[in-house]
Amino acid sequence: MSPLFVPGPVDVDEEVLEAQTKAMMPHRSGEFEEIFHRSEGKMRKIFRTDHRVLINASSGTGMHEAAIRNLVNKKVLSCANGAFGMRWHDVAKSNGKDVTLLDTDWKEPLTGEKIAQALDGQDYEAITIVHNETSTGLMNPIEEIARVVHGVSPNTLICVDAVSSLSGAQLEMDEWGLDLVLTSSQKCLALPPGLGFVAFNERVFEKSKTVKNKGWYFDFERLEKHRLKDSTPATSAVSLIYALDLQTDRILAEGIEQRWARHSAMAEKTQIWAKENDFTLFAPEGYRSQTVTAIEHQGFDFKAANAFLITKGIRMASGYGPLKENVFRIGHMGELTPADLDKLFAALAEFRSN
Ligand SMILES: Cc1ncc(COP(=O)(O)O)c(C=O)c1O
């Protein structure tokens, strides 16, 4: 495996890639339904929920759209301190919803206090928030935020984007009282891109029954009806489900807590490397991501460094959106280990000594 230190799509284990080459089977067959059923059961463990997980051919942005279309008749609070929080806001806006944006400096977390102020006296049907902002390497304190929302505005549904954190950082859907959590396949789950996942509780399901014009493809009522028969309304991504079945076994064999700990160890190692090399970390202490580190790079030729790494089969990522020129990102998610980071840091030392 030539390590990709990018925040998705990440390297996929050979065996998992191979699983996709098995012969097709009809998605409406007992054999496929069995695979689908057990994969969903394993995804519940990864989402830390006893509620359902819908699995659909989509990327994460499709799941942003699904949440908005199913849960919001009118009013939604979109919280954003990075490019993907803004993406979810834009999705809500482009679906014609009455969206209020709660934004903050991208170097600051969205705290319970800020969100409580925004919710005060309002009647939002849902709030949207990103757990791990992949654009800035900042993790928002979701447990604290959920506690505050439940206290201040108990009817507001809490919708969390865990696209770059699920299985790489602790997120307790049921214990923290999150109503809806979404993710996609190509990040910490270390699968090829193409699957979207959304887990939600009964409050969400009941609400979705009251919302009009949900469209067809992402309608939770239709998806749930088919999930109960271990399938999807439209053709399932059969090969990706084969890969999911195997990869969820591998994830659970490692252990969820152990997987979080491995990601945390990689984050710590990357932060130490950055400081030792006189770089500035973009995200503030206490809120740094376990899965991707964003680093400011004045005086360091990131493009030349990455070009050098590519000759060794290694790759990092540039900054995202407005941070493209000033920041670079080291993804440490999926199947990577601290030993892989040693290879990256050794190659970067070689680049700097040239
Ligand atoms: C936090 C976050 N949310 C949403 C998305 C969008 O996901 P996708 O590219 O799977 O549509 C990304 C993609 O990088 C992301 O990092």
PDB file of all heavy atoms in Angstrom, residues 6 23 32 34 71 88 95 104-105 115 142 157 160 166 176 191 236 244 253 263 305 324 345:
ATOM      1  N   VAL A   6      -4.164  11.765   2.948  1.00  0.00           N
ATOM      2  CA  VAL A   6      -5.157  12.766   2.542  1.00  0.00           C
ATOM      3  C   VAL A   6      -6.456  12.438   3.272  1.00  0.00           C
ATOM      4  O   VAL A   6      -6.689  11.294   3.649  1.00  0.00           O
ATOM      5  CB  VAL A   6      -5.377  12.750   1.004  1.00  0.00           C
ATOM      6  CG1 VAL A   6      -4.084  13.001   0.255  1.00  0.00           C
ATOM      7  CG2 VAL A   6      -5.996  11.437   0.541  1.00  0.00           C
ATOM      8  N   ALA A  23     -18.609 -12.033  -8.088  1.00  0.00           N
ATOM      9  CA  ALA A  23     -19.657 -11.970  -9.118  1.00  0.00           C
ATOM     10  C   ALA A  23     -20.895 -11.238  -8.594  1.00  0.00           C
ATOM     11  O   ALA A  23     -21.186 -11.273  -7.393  1.00  0.00           O
ATOM     12  CB  ALA A  23     -20.041 -13.386  -9.529  1.00  0.00           C
ATOM     13  N   PHE A  32     -28.284 -11.779  -1.226  1.00  0.00           N
ATOM     14  CA  PHE A  32     -27.835 -10.395  -1.059  1.00  0.00           C
ATOM     15  C   PHE A  32     -28.442  -9.792   0.218  1.00  0.00           C
ATOM     16  O   PHE A  32     -27.760  -9.097   0.978  1.00  0.00           O
ATOM     17  CB  PHE A  32     -28.215  -9.529  -2.274  1.00  0.00           C
ATOM     18  CG  PHE A  32     -27.754  -8.106  -2.113  1.00  0.00           C
ATOM     19  CD1 PHE A  32     -26.414  -7.771  -2.279  1.00  0.00           C
ATOM     20  CD2 PHE A  32     -28.639  -7.102  -1.726  1.00  0.00           C
ATOM     21  CE1 PHE A  32     -25.963  -6.471  -2.076  1.00  0.00           C
ATOM     22  CE2 PHE A  32     -28.197  -5.798  -1.523  1.00  0.00           C
ATOM     23  CZ  PHE A  32     -26.859  -5.479  -1.710  1.00  0.00           C
ATOM     24  N   GLU A  34     -29.191 -11.110   2.929  1.00  0.00           N
ATOM     25  CA  GLU A  34     -28.475 -11.559   4.127  1.00  0.00           C
ATOM     26  C   GLU A  34     -27.207 -10.709   4.363  1.00  0.00           C
ATOM     27  O   GLU A  34     -26.920 -10.296   5.486  1.00  0.00           O
ATOM     28  CB  GLU A  34     -28.073 -13.015   3.892  1.00  0.00           C
ATOM     29  CG  GLU A  34     -27.927 -13.810   5.149  1.00  0.00           C
ATOM     30  CD  GLU A  34     -27.536 -15.252   4.797  1.00  0.00           C
ATOM     31  OE1 GLU A  34     -28.290 -15.912   4.035  1.00  0.00           O
ATOM     32  OE2 GLU A  34     -26.460 -15.682   5.273  1.00  0.00           O
ATOM     33  N   LEU A  71     -36.373  16.372   7.142  1.00  0.00           N
ATOM     34  CA  LEU A  71     -36.604  16.889   8.501  1.00  0.00           C
ATOM     35  C   LEU A  71     -37.080  18.315   8.579  1.00  0.00           C
ATOM     36  O   LEU A  71     -37.508  18.765   9.629  1.00  0.00           O
ATOM     37  CB  LEU A  71     -35.309  16.793   9.330  1.00  0.00           C
ATOM     38  CG  LEU A  71     -34.782  15.401   9.550  1.00  0.00           C
ATOM     39  CD1 LEU A  71     -33.766  15.384  10.650  1.00  0.00           C
ATOM     40  CD2 LEU A  71     -35.916  14.468   9.917  1.00  0.00           C
ATOM     41  N   TRP A  88     -23.355  22.208   4.045  1.00  0.00           N
ATOM     42  CA  TRP A  88     -24.675  21.754   4.531  1.00  0.00           C
ATOM     43  C   TRP A  88     -25.661  22.934   4.539  1.00  0.00           C
ATOM     44  O   TRP A  88     -26.829  22.798   4.206  1.00  0.00           O
ATOM     45  CB  TRP A  88     -24.553  21.133   5.933  1.00  0.00           C
ATOM     46  CG  TRP A  88     -25.533  20.040   6.206  1.00  0.00           C
ATOM     47  CD1 TRP A  88     -26.615  19.687   5.431  1.00  0.00           C
ATOM     48  CD2 TRP A  88     -25.534  19.141   7.321  1.00  0.00           C
ATOM     49  NE1 TRP A  88     -27.275  18.627   6.008  1.00  0.00           N
ATOM     50  CE2 TRP A  88     -26.627  18.270   7.166  1.00  0.00           C
ATOM     51  CE3 TRP A  88     -24.708  18.989   8.439  1.00  0.00           C
ATOM     52  CZ2 TRP A  88     -26.928  17.267   8.089  1.00  0.00           C
ATOM     53  CZ3 TRP A  88     -24.993  17.986   9.355  1.00  0.00           C
ATOM     54  CH2 TRP A  88     -26.099  17.132   9.181  1.00  0.00           C
ATOM     55  N   ASN A  95     -32.380  23.956  -1.226  1.00  0.00           N
ATOM     56  CA  ASN A  95     -33.640  23.206  -1.161  1.00  0.00           C
ATOM     57  C   ASN A  95     -34.791  24.117  -0.727  1.00  0.00           C
ATOM     58  O   ASN A  95     -35.882  23.636  -0.413  1.00  0.00           O
ATOM     59  CB  ASN A  95     -33.511  22.013  -0.209  1.00  0.00           C
ATOM     60  CG  ASN A  95     -32.920  20.795  -0.921  1.00  0.00           C
ATOM     61  OD1 ASN A  95     -33.594  20.140  -1.700  1.00  0.00           O
ATOM     62  ND2 ASN A  95     -31.654  20.519  -0.682  1.00  0.00           N
ATOM     63  N   THR A 104     -18.876  31.100  12.596  1.00  0.00           N
ATOM     64  CA  THR A 104     -17.874  31.648  13.509  1.00  0.00           C
ATOM     65  C   THR A 104     -16.536  31.580  12.794  1.00  0.00           C
ATOM     66  O   THR A 104     -16.423  30.969  11.733  1.00  0.00           O
ATOM     67  CB  THR A 104     -17.879  30.845  14.841  1.00  0.00           C
ATOM     68  OG1 THR A 104     -16.944  31.438  15.716  1.00  0.00           O
ATOM     69  CG2 THR A 104     -17.519  29.390  14.659  1.00  0.00           C
ATOM     70  N   ASP A 105     -15.563  32.251  13.349  1.00  0.00           N
ATOM     71  CA  ASP A 105     -14.223  32.180  12.785  1.00  0.00           C
ATOM     72  C   ASP A 105     -13.842  30.705  12.618  1.00  0.00           C
ATOM     73  O   ASP A 105     -14.119  29.893  13.514  1.00  0.00           O
ATOM     74  CB  ASP A 105     -13.262  32.878  13.764  1.00  0.00           C
ATOM     75  CG  ASP A 105     -11.898  33.064  13.165  1.00  0.00           C
ATOM     76  OD1 ASP A 105     -11.146  32.061  13.027  1.00  0.00           O
ATOM     77  OD2 ASP A 105     -11.581  34.201  12.816  1.00  0.00           O
ATOM     78  N   ILE A 115     -24.335  28.152  20.550  1.00  0.00           N
ATOM     79  CA  ILE A 115     -25.531  27.539  19.963  1.00  0.00           C
ATOM     80  C   ILE A 115     -26.759  27.845  20.815  1.00  0.00           C
ATOM     81  O   ILE A 115     -27.842  28.124  20.287  1.00  0.00           O
ATOM     82  CB  ILE A 115     -25.277  26.036  19.730  1.00  0.00           C
ATOM     83  CG1 ILE A 115     -24.272  25.922  18.564  1.00  0.00           C
ATOM     84  CG2 ILE A 115     -26.566  25.273  19.421  1.00  0.00           C
ATOM     85  CD1 ILE A 115     -23.727  24.589  18.276  1.00  0.00           C
ATOM     86  N   ILE A 142     -19.392  17.940  20.238  1.00  0.00           N
ATOM     87  CA  ILE A 142     -20.780  17.526  19.964  1.00  0.00           C
ATOM     88  C   ILE A 142     -21.526  17.094  21.228  1.00  0.00           C
ATOM     89  O   ILE A 142     -22.711  17.397  21.374  1.00  0.00           O
ATOM     90  CB  ILE A 142     -20.795  16.386  18.910  1.00  0.00           C
ATOM     91  CG1 ILE A 142     -20.227  16.898  17.571  1.00  0.00           C
ATOM     92  CG2 ILE A 142     -22.198  15.831  18.721  1.00  0.00           C
ATOM     93  CD1 ILE A 142     -21.013  17.989  16.882  1.00  0.00           C
ATOM     94  N   LEU A 157     -34.275  18.914  16.294  1.00  0.00           N
ATOM     95  CA  LEU A 157     -33.563  17.665  15.979  1.00  0.00           C
ATOM     96  C   LEU A 157     -32.087  17.962  15.730  1.00  0.00           C
ATOM     97  O   LEU A 157     -31.749  18.893  14.990  1.00  0.00           O
ATOM     98  CB  LEU A 157     -34.185  17.011  14.748  1.00  0.00           C
ATOM     99  CG  LEU A 157     -35.651  16.574  14.927  1.00  0.00           C
ATOM    100  CD1 LEU A 157     -36.289  16.233  13.587  1.00  0.00           C
ATOM    101  CD2 LEU A 157     -35.748  15.384  15.888  1.00  0.00           C
ATOM    102  N   VAL A 160     -25.964  15.530  12.814  1.00  0.00           N
ATOM    103  CA  VAL A 160     -24.497  15.618  12.887  1.00  0.00           C
ATOM    104  C   VAL A 160     -23.848  14.965  11.672  1.00  0.00           C
ATOM    105  O   VAL A 160     -24.165  13.823  11.311  1.00  0.00           O
ATOM    106  CB  VAL A 160     -23.988  14.934  14.180  1.00  0.00           C
ATOM    107  CG1 VAL A 160     -22.466  14.960  14.257  1.00  0.00           C
ATOM    108  CG2 VAL A 160     -24.576  15.615  15.418  1.00  0.00           C
ATOM    109  N   LEU A 166     -16.469   9.273  11.750  1.00  0.00           N
ATOM    110  CA  LEU A 166     -17.068   8.022  12.233  1.00  0.00           C
ATOM    111  C   LEU A 166     -16.083   6.862  12.130  1.00  0.00           C
ATOM    112  O   LEU A 166     -15.597   6.545  11.043  1.00  0.00           O
ATOM    113  CB  LEU A 166     -18.357   7.672  11.472  1.00  0.00           C
ATOM    114  CG  LEU A 166     -19.156   6.595  12.217  1.00  0.00           C
ATOM    115  CD1 LEU A 166     -20.015   7.195  13.310  1.00  0.00           C
ATOM    116  CD2 LEU A 166     -20.009   5.773  11.282  1.00  0.00           C
ATOM    117  N   TRP A 176     -25.314  10.257  23.617  1.00  0.00           N
ATOM    118  CA  TRP A 176     -25.300  11.727  23.605  1.00  0.00           C
ATOM    119  C   TRP A 176     -26.634  12.306  23.116  1.00  0.00           C
ATOM    120  O   TRP A 176     -26.804  13.521  23.077  1.00  0.00           O
ATOM    121  CB  TRP A 176     -24.169  12.257  22.705  1.00  0.00           C
ATOM    122  CG  TRP A 176     -22.785  11.899  23.173  1.00  0.00           C
ATOM    123  CD1 TRP A 176     -22.444  11.276  24.345  1.00  0.00           C
ATOM    124  CD2 TRP A 176     -21.550  12.136  22.481  1.00  0.00           C
ATOM    125  NE1 TRP A 176     -21.077  11.110  24.418  1.00  0.00           N
ATOM    126  CE2 TRP A 176     -20.501  11.631  23.293  1.00  0.00           C
ATOM    127  CE3 TRP A 176     -21.209  12.723  21.259  1.00  0.00           C
ATOM    128  CZ2 TRP A 176     -19.159  11.703  22.918  1.00  0.00           C
ATOM    129  CZ3 TRP A 176     -19.883  12.797  20.880  1.00  0.00           C
ATOM    130  CH2 TRP A 176     -18.866  12.290  21.705  1.00  0.00           C
ATOM    131  N   LEU A 191     -13.222   2.612   2.980  1.00  0.00           N
ATOM    132  CA  LEU A 191     -13.872   1.911   1.863  1.00  0.00           C
ATOM    133  C   LEU A 191     -13.767   2.800   0.619  1.00  0.00           C
ATOM    134  O   LEU A 191     -13.523   4.002   0.738  1.00  0.00           O
ATOM    135  CB  LEU A 191     -15.351   1.695   2.189  1.00  0.00           C
ATOM    136  CG  LEU A 191     -15.650   0.556   3.161  1.00  0.00           C
ATOM    137  CD1 LEU A 191     -17.025   0.735   3.798  1.00  0.00           C
ATOM    138  CD2 LEU A 191     -15.584  -0.783   2.423  1.00  0.00           C
ATOM    139  N   SER A 236     -29.133  -1.541  -5.362  1.00  0.00           N
ATOM    140  CA  SER A 236     -28.060  -1.366  -4.362  1.00  0.00           C
ATOM    141  C   SER A 236     -26.697  -1.394  -5.051  1.00  0.00           C
ATOM    142  O   SER A 236     -26.531  -2.039  -6.090  1.00  0.00           O
ATOM    143  CB  SER A 236     -28.089  -2.515  -3.346  1.00  0.00           C
ATOM    144  OG  SER A 236     -29.331  -2.585  -2.705  1.00  0.00           O
ATOM    145  N   LEU A 244     -18.179  -3.543   2.094  1.00  0.00           N
ATOM    146  CA  LEU A 244     -18.646  -3.093   3.411  1.00  0.00           C
ATOM    147  C   LEU A 244     -18.743  -4.262   4.385  1.00  0.00           C
ATOM    148  O   LEU A 244     -18.349  -4.156   5.559  1.00  0.00           O
ATOM    149  CB  LEU A 244     -20.021  -2.420   3.249  1.00  0.00           C
ATOM    150  CG  LEU A 244     -20.739  -2.012   4.532  1.00  0.00           C
ATOM    151  CD1 LEU A 244     -19.988  -0.886   5.250  1.00  0.00           C
ATOM    152  CD2 LEU A 244     -22.178  -1.567   4.243  1.00  0.00           C
ATOM    153  N   ALA A 253     -13.273  -6.205  14.459  1.00  0.00           N
ATOM    154  CA  ALA A 253     -12.207  -7.067  14.998  1.00  0.00           C
ATOM    155  C   ALA A 253     -11.119  -6.201  15.649  1.00  0.00           C
ATOM    156  O   ALA A 253     -10.559  -6.567  16.684  1.00  0.00           O
ATOM    157  CB  ALA A 253     -11.613  -7.933  13.890  1.00  0.00           C
ATOM    158  N   HIS A 263      -6.299   6.377  15.972  1.00  0.00           N
ATOM    159  CA  HIS A 263      -6.412   7.683  15.307  1.00  0.00           C
ATOM    160  C   HIS A 263      -5.882   8.799  16.215  1.00  0.00           C
ATOM    161  O   HIS A 263      -5.196   9.719  15.754  1.00  0.00           O
ATOM    162  CB  HIS A 263      -7.863   7.960  14.896  1.00  0.00           C
ATOM    163  CG  HIS A 263      -8.278   7.225  13.647  1.00  0.00           C
ATOM    164  ND1 HIS A 263      -8.641   5.908  13.641  1.00  0.00           N
ATOM    165  CD2 HIS A 263      -8.371   7.637  12.368  1.00  0.00           C
ATOM    166  CE1 HIS A 263      -8.940   5.533  12.401  1.00  0.00           C
ATOM    167  NE2 HIS A 263      -8.789   6.568  11.604  1.00  0.00           N
ATOM    168  N   ALA A 305       7.028  20.079  -1.942  1.00  0.00           N
ATOM    169  CA  ALA A 305       7.129  18.954  -0.990  1.00  0.00           C
ATOM    170  C   ALA A 305       6.228  17.803  -1.454  1.00  0.00           C
ATOM    171  O   ALA A 305       6.652  16.639  -1.485  1.00  0.00           O
ATOM    172  CB  ALA A 305       6.728  19.408   0.409  1.00  0.00           C
ATOM    173  N   LYS A 324      -6.745  27.099   0.681  1.00  0.00           N
ATOM    174  CA  LYS A 324      -5.930  26.342  -0.268  1.00  0.00           C
ATOM    175  C   LYS A 324      -4.459  26.774  -0.276  1.00  0.00           C
ATOM    176  O   LYS A 324      -3.562  25.934  -0.274  1.00  0.00           O
ATOM    177  CB  LYS A 324      -6.521  26.477  -1.672  1.00  0.00           C
ATOM    178  CG  LYS A 324      -5.961  25.477  -2.649  1.00  0.00           C
ATOM    179  CD  LYS A 324      -6.782  25.456  -3.927  1.00  0.00           C
ATOM    180  CE  LYS A 324      -6.180  24.548  -4.971  1.00  0.00           C
ATOM    181  NZ  LYS A 324      -5.891  23.203  -4.517  1.00  0.00           N
ATOM    182  N   PHE A 345       7.155  11.406   7.657  1.00  0.00           N
ATOM    183  CA  PHE A 345       8.023  12.410   8.277  1.00  0.00           C
ATOM    184  C   PHE A 345       9.479  12.223   7.821  1.00  0.00           C
ATOM    185  O   PHE A 345      10.204  13.200   7.643  1.00  0.00           O
ATOM    186  CB  PHE A 345       7.885  12.369   9.806  1.00  0.00           C
ATOM    187  CG  PHE A 345       6.478  12.656  10.278  1.00  0.00           C
ATOM    188  CD1 PHE A 345       5.970  12.079  11.437  1.00  0.00           C
ATOM    189  CD2 PHE A 345       5.650  13.500   9.538  1.00  0.00           C
ATOM    190  CE1 PHE A 345       4.667  12.345  11.857  1.00  0.00           C
ATOM    191  CE2 PHE A 345       4.339  13.765   9.956  1.00  0.00           C
ATOM    192  CZ  PHE A 345       3.850  13.185  11.117  1.00  0.00           C
TER     193      PHE A 345
END
